[in-house]
Amino acid sequence: MTTPTSHRAVRTPVQQAALLFGLVFLVVGVLGFIPGITTDYGSMEFASHDSGAELFGLFQVSILHNLVHLAYGLAGLALARTAAGAYSYLLVGGAVYLVLWVYGLVVGHDSDANFVPLNTADDWLHFVLGIAMIGLALALSRRGTRTDAR
């Protein structure tokens, strides 16, 4: 008698981190379209600093902003299928978030160039996300490539 074996692939730590970030971005993208969770939902614009909608009453969002979160989430899920893809997602995605952080600091929040839109809470969340994603990419990829010298 044989026992069934599982063909489920074991995910590396960097893949698990990318998968987690992908899922979080996906959920945040969906939540951005739910009135109540997104305050002032009726004032949401497609892409403008005039969008008065705020996710959790804190992070300024627009339709474009929510769509970007959904795309980031889907990318995370897709790239988490391989360790190399997960590493790239975290590293490049983190770098993009650091660029967004600088962009948010440099561009005035009432400027037409703030089309995403971004507010101060978004700016600092982007900084934390950028550092966390890059840090996890570097720390977990090293841990996943170590070999035991037994």
Side-chain angles (χ1 to χ4, degrees):
M1 190 149 129
T2 61
T3 57
T5 58
S6 173
H7 295 297
R8 215 169 122 197
V10 176
R11 289 187 187 101
T12 64
V14 74
Q15 286 176 281
Q16 291 172 349
L19 183 63
L20 178 63
F21 271 91
L23 288 171
V24 168
F25 284 124
L26 217 80
V27 168
V28 166
V30 169
L31 292 176
F33 287 113
I34 299 176
I37 294 174
T38 298
T39 59
D40 297 322
Y41 187 82
S43 67
M44 186 182 302
E45 300 282 334
F46 177 77
S48 168
H49 68 278
D50 292 327
S51 184
E54 292 182 329
L55 183 62
F56 307 123
L58 186 61
F59 303 102
Q60 189 175 13
V61 293
S62 65
I63 294 169
L64 176 63
H65 203 148
N66 292 333
L67 292 174
V68 168
H69 285 143
L70 290 171
Y72 239 68
L74 291 173
L77 297 182
L79 291 168
R81 289 160 61 190
T82 67
Y87 173 81
S88 295
Y89 172 74
L90 292 172
L91 190 67
V92 173
V96 168
Y97 268 105
L98 289 180
V99 168
L100 273 174
W101 169 62
V102 171
Y103 182 79
L105 294 177
V106 172
V107 172
H109 291 150
D110 293 327
S111 166
D112 287 339
N114 184 20
F115 65 93
V116 174
L118 305 170
N119 64 13
T120 302
D122 288 306
D123 294 340
W124 291 102
L125 179 60
H126 292 157
F127 173 75
V128 170
L129 287 170
I131 295 298
M133 290 174 79
I134 291 170
L136 284 170
L138 297 175
L140 297 178
S141 65
R142 282 190 206 147
R143 194 171 96 190
T145 57
R146 283 189 195 150
T147 57
D148 286 334
R150 290 183 196 189

